[in-house]
């Protein structure tokens, strides 16, 4: 009976916390939490749903990604001044998350075939955005390890960041190879620009936006650290797994999921071995073939 009573008290407390949640402005000493974040999540999840169901007309249209980018930038613009109201130990991870989200949205637009950012003069921005993706990942890990004492929450965030580290591969290759690298890759894989934009960077940015949303609920004690860790792991694994499998199902002939995509087939044995080792398509194809899909393994 005591356990039931404590459970009812917890449910009632969370219900009151939801009712008192002020969406227009942040609560005192709490991270930003407003309608802009909800709009970002709804638009992003809509694009992901179209990717999972292969609604090619939506994926190739510039309007959805432009709307999502505008909503994300609006969220970042409104959240920046309000980070000062967050607890001191949470400020560095929040700033890193905002920089990372901005870089992810940039690469979503940069790789999209219809947005019109295919230009060689963007190489300085490519370099800055590539650094903006890699540096916050390190900062997020460091900030998390110095943060809450809950081991499950730490492991969830650190594991998620390590999973996201794979998205650094393409910006680094873009920064080194420039626009010529993208043009060469698209010549080999016609839908690779759309795959980069939607299946990689849009999906990843939605995950980070959702983690930020959960963090605001955690700070307001609407959810516990263990619950946040569990939800974070489920969404990271679920979305990344679904996007990898969906891209291989819908675009297996016109795109690739290799993390290392050389413009010209490498001649050195160790580079060929590296290209093969970093090909994440193999697992997805084996899984799809197991369930009856008529897809070759290579």
């Amino acid at each position: 009976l005591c356990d039931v009573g404590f459970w009812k008290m917890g449910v009632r407390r969370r219900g009151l916390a939801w009712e008192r949640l002020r969406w227009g402005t942040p609560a005192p000493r709490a991270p930003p939490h407003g309608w802009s974040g909800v709009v970002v999540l709804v638009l992003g999840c809509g694009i992901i749903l179209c990717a999972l169901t292969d609604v090619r007309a939506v994926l190739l249209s510039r309007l959805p990604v432009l709307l999502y980018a505008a909503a994300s930038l609006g969220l970042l613009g409104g959240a920046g001044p309000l980070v000062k109201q967050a607890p001191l130990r949470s400020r560095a991870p929040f700033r890193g998350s905002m920089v990372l989200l901005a870089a992810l949205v940039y690469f979503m637009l940069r790789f999209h075939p219809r947005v019109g950012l295919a230009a060689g003069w963007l190489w300085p921005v490519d370099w800055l955005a590539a650094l903006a993706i890699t540096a916050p990942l390190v900062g997020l890990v460091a900030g998390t390890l110095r943060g809450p004492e809950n081991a499950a929450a730490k492991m969830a965030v650190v594991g998620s960041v390590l999973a996201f580290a794979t998205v650094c591969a393409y910006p680094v290759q873009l920064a080194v190879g420039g626009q010529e690298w993208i043009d060469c890759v698209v010549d080999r894989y016609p839908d690779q620009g759309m795959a980069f934009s939607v299946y990689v960077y849009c999906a990843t940015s939605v995950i980070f936006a959702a983690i930020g949303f959960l963090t605001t609920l955690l700070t307001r004690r609407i959810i516990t650290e263990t619950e946040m860790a569990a939800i974070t792991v489920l969404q990271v694994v679920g979305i990344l797994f679904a996007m990898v499998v969906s891209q291989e199902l819908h675009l297996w002939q016109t795109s690739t999921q290799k993390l290392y995509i050389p413009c010209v087939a490498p001649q050195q044995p160790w580079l060929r071995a590296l290209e093969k080792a970093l090909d994440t398509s193999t697992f997805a194809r084996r899984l799809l073939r197991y369930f009856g899909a008529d897809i070759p393994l290579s």
Side-chain angles (χ1 to χ4, degrees):
L1 291 177
C2 291
D3 291 341
V4 173
F6 280 120
W7 179 79
K8 288 183 178 180
M9 289 176 60
V11 172
R12 185 168 179 271
R13 177 180 60 79
R14 296 188 191 195
L16 291 174
W18 273 107
E19 292 175 2
R20 294 171 182 171
L21 196 60
R22 298 174 61 188
W23 293 88
T25 56
R29 296 197 59 75
H33 194 130
W35 286 112
S36 55
V38 177
V39 172
V40 168
L41 290 176
V42 171
L43 286 174
C45 289
I47 295 174
I48 289 177
L49 182 61
C50 291
L52 296 177
T53 54
D54 195 28
V55 184
R56 197 68 59 88
V58 174
L59 301 181
L60 287 174
S61 172
R62 66 172 65 92
L63 182 60
V65 293
L66 289 177
L67 288 175
Y68 177 76
S72 300
L73 294 178
L75 171 64
L76 293 172
L82 300 175
V83 173
K84 295 180 180 179
Q85 299 186 32
L88 186 61
R89 69 183 184 184
S90 301
R91 294 179 187 177
F94 262 103
R95 291 191 181 99
S97 297
M98 289 192 294
V99 172
L100 184 56
L101 180 59
L104 290 170
V105 171
Y106 168 76
F107 284 114
M108 179 190 71
L109 298 175
R110 181 73 167 91
F111 286 120
H112 197 279
R114 300 287 177 85
V115 172
L117 289 183
W121 58 267
L122 286 171
W123 68 267
V125 185
D126 294 337
W127 272 102
L128 289 175
L131 291 174
I133 277 189
T134 54
L137 290 175
V138 178
L140 283 172
V141 172
T144 300
L145 294 177
R146 293 196 305 265
E149 297 298 328
N150 189 297
K154 288 184 179 182
M155 290 297 294
V157 175
V158 172
S160 301
V161 169
L162 293 178
F164 290 133
T166 57
V167 305
C168 300
Y170 306 126
V172 170
Q173 293 175 81
L174 170 62
V176 173
Q179 183 62 37
E180 294 80 8
W181 176 76
I182 300 180
D183 296 337
C184 179
V185 169
V186 172
D187 285 341
R188 294 174 61 187
Y189 307 102
D191 285 328
Q192 193 61 49
M194 182 186 70
F196 280 156
S197 177
V198 176
Y199 287 87
V200 178
Y201 292 100
C202 179
T204 307
S205 66
V206 171
I207 293 173
F208 262 92
I211 291 175
F213 186 87
L214 291 171
T215 304
T216 61
L217 298 182
L218 173 65
T219 304
R220 288 172 169 80
R221 299 182 181 180
I222 295 177
I223 61 175
T224 65
E225 292 178 351
T226 302
E227 289 169 343
M228 178 178 175
I231 297 172
T232 298
V233 170
L234 287 175
Q235 71 153 352
V236 169
V237 174
I239 293 179
L240 293 182
F241 175 80
M243 299 307 282
V244 168
V245 173
S246 297
Q247 181 181 336
E248 209 60 41
L249 177 64
H250 303 311
L251 305 176
W252 66 272
Q253 290 180 308
T254 56
S255 73
T256 182
Q257 300 194 67
K258 297 176 182 178
L259 297 179
Y260 171 52
I261 312 177
C263 187
V264 180
Q267 301 300 319
Q268 297 89 339
W270 68 274
L271 282 178
R272 290 199 298 268
L274 179 65
E275 182 182 10
K276 184 177 181 180
L278 296 180
D279 188 355
T280 60
S281 303
T282 304
F283 168 75
R285 293 194 178 194
R286 290 184 183 277
L287 181 65
L288 290 169
R289 283 173 63 88
Y290 177 81
F291 286 101
D294 186 17
I295 295 177
L297 287 178
S298 59

